[in-house]
Amino acid sequence: MASKAWSEAVAVEDSRRATVSASDKRAALAQAIAMSDHGSRGYLSEQGRQKAEKLLNEAEQGLIPFESAPSALRAKAKVLSVRAQLCVMSKSAVAAVSCLHKAREVYKRLGANRDVALTDALSGLALLEAGKSRGGELYEESHALLQQALEFFDSAQHGVIRWKLKYYLAIDRKSTRLNSSHTDISRMP
């Protein structure tokens, strides 16, 4: 259902020659397609990933002539964030962090501090997930990003986000502690 609505919105924006808005809506359509595919299968199919990637590539191409306009920068950050979601759905957390880092830089350039903090939180969670298989320095980087996000959201008005960040920071500390204890055990004679 969401895919149909976003497809119609893209068609309207294309007919109006509203390129930046159409690019933003293509990113939303890509996200809807990926979420629908993942939701119905439990994983992102190759066909679903390819459809979403095609839309994201079209969105990026449409933004090139307007790349310094704030609305185009915001749409570019959205494209990067959706690419990160595709990476997470494809079990590539480290690639997701790369996309999120680029989105963070765009949000920072725009002075969108809340979006910067949200991107830090998402990057921290992606690294926490990647750390399950890789451990070590990924947990440290995850902790730093989650802590950085918490600094922005550490007020009563952000209660739910603050609570979730503290929860994941606690998991991160536990994971680091478990990881280091496993290292010590494996070094024992």
Side-chain angles (χ1 to χ4, degrees), residues 7-99:
S7 291
E8 290 170 1
V10 168
V12 167
E13 297 304 317
D14 280 344
S15 70
R16 292 178 45 219
R17 297 184 190 269
T19 308
V20 173
S21 182
S23 290
D24 185 62
K25 287 173 176 53
R26 276 188 175 80
L29 177 57
Q31 183 179 38
I33 288 170
M35 297 297 284
S36 175
D37 188 59
H38 189 272
S40 66
R41 300 173 193 269
Y43 64 93
L44 181 60
S45 69
E46 185 61 25
Q47 181 182 1
R49 188 190 64 73
Q50 287 176 355
K51 277 184 180 177
E53 285 287 346
K54 182 178 185 271
L55 285 162
L56 293 173
N57 291 338
E58 290 171 1
E60 283 181 327
Q61 289 300 311
L63 293 171
I64 290 172
F66 310 99
E67 60 188 27
S68 61
S71 59
L73 287 171
R74 185 162 285 285
K76 179 179 180 175
K78 184 173 186 174
V79 168
L80 290 164
S81 295
V82 174
R83 281 197 193 282
Q85 286 181 324
L86 294 180
C87 291
V88 168
M89 289 179 191
S90 301
K91 307 283 189 228
S92 183
V94 175
V97 172
S98 175
C99 292

Side-chain angles (χ1 to χ4, degrees), residues 11-187:
V12 167
E13 297 304 317
D14 280 344
S15 70
R16 292 178 45 219
R17 297 184 190 269
T19 308
V20 173
S21 182
S23 290
D24 185 62
K25 287 173 176 53
R26 276 188 175 80
L29 177 57
Q31 183 179 38
I33 288 170
M35 297 297 284
S36 175
D37 188 59
H38 189 272
S40 66
R41 300 173 193 269
Y43 64 93
L44 181 60
S45 69
E46 185 61 25
Q47 181 182 1
R49 188 190 64 73
Q50 287 176 355
K51 277 184 180 177
E53 285 287 346
K54 182 178 185 271
L55 285 162
L56 293 173
N57 291 338
E58 290 171 1
E60 283 181 327
Q61 289 300 311
L63 293 171
I64 290 172
F66 310 99
E67 60 188 27
S68 61
S71 59
L73 287 171
R74 185 162 285 285
K76 179 179 180 175
K78 184 173 186 174
V79 168
L80 290 164
S81 295
V82 174
R83 281 197 193 282
Q85 286 181 324
L86 294 180
C87 291
V88 168
M89 289 179 191
S90 301
K91 307 283 189 228
S92 183
V94 175
V97 172
S98 175
C99 292
L100 289 167
H101 178 72
K102 292 173 187 173
R104 182 191 196 281
E105 292 305 311
V106 174
Y107 286 132
K108 189 174 180 180
R109 183 174 166 193
L110 288 168
N113 295 334
R114 184 175 193 277
D115 291 318
V116 168
L118 284 170
T119 303
D120 287 343
L122 293 172
S123 296
L125 292 174
L127 285 172
L128 188 60
E129 182 63 29
K132 290 177 183 176
S133 61
R134 291 185 170 177
E137 71 281 349
L138 293 182
Y139 281 125
E140 293 171 20
E141 191 174 346
S142 168
H143 180 81
L145 286 164
L146 291 170
Q147 190 63 46
Q148 199 169 305
L150 181 60
E151 288 172 18
F152 179 85
F153 290 112
D154 201 13
S155 68
Q157 73 187 45
H158 301 294
V160 174
I161 295 173
R162 182 181 68 195
W163 179 87
K164 287 182 179 183
L165 287 168
K166 287 182 176 187
Y167 172 79
Y168 284 110
L169 280 164
I171 289 174
D172 182 36
R173 279 192 291 276
K174 182 179 177 185
S175 299
T176 304
R177 205 170 50 248
L178 286 173
N179 193 32
S180 62
S181 68
H182 288 297
T183 305
D184 293 338
I185 290 170
S186 65
R187 290 183 187 161

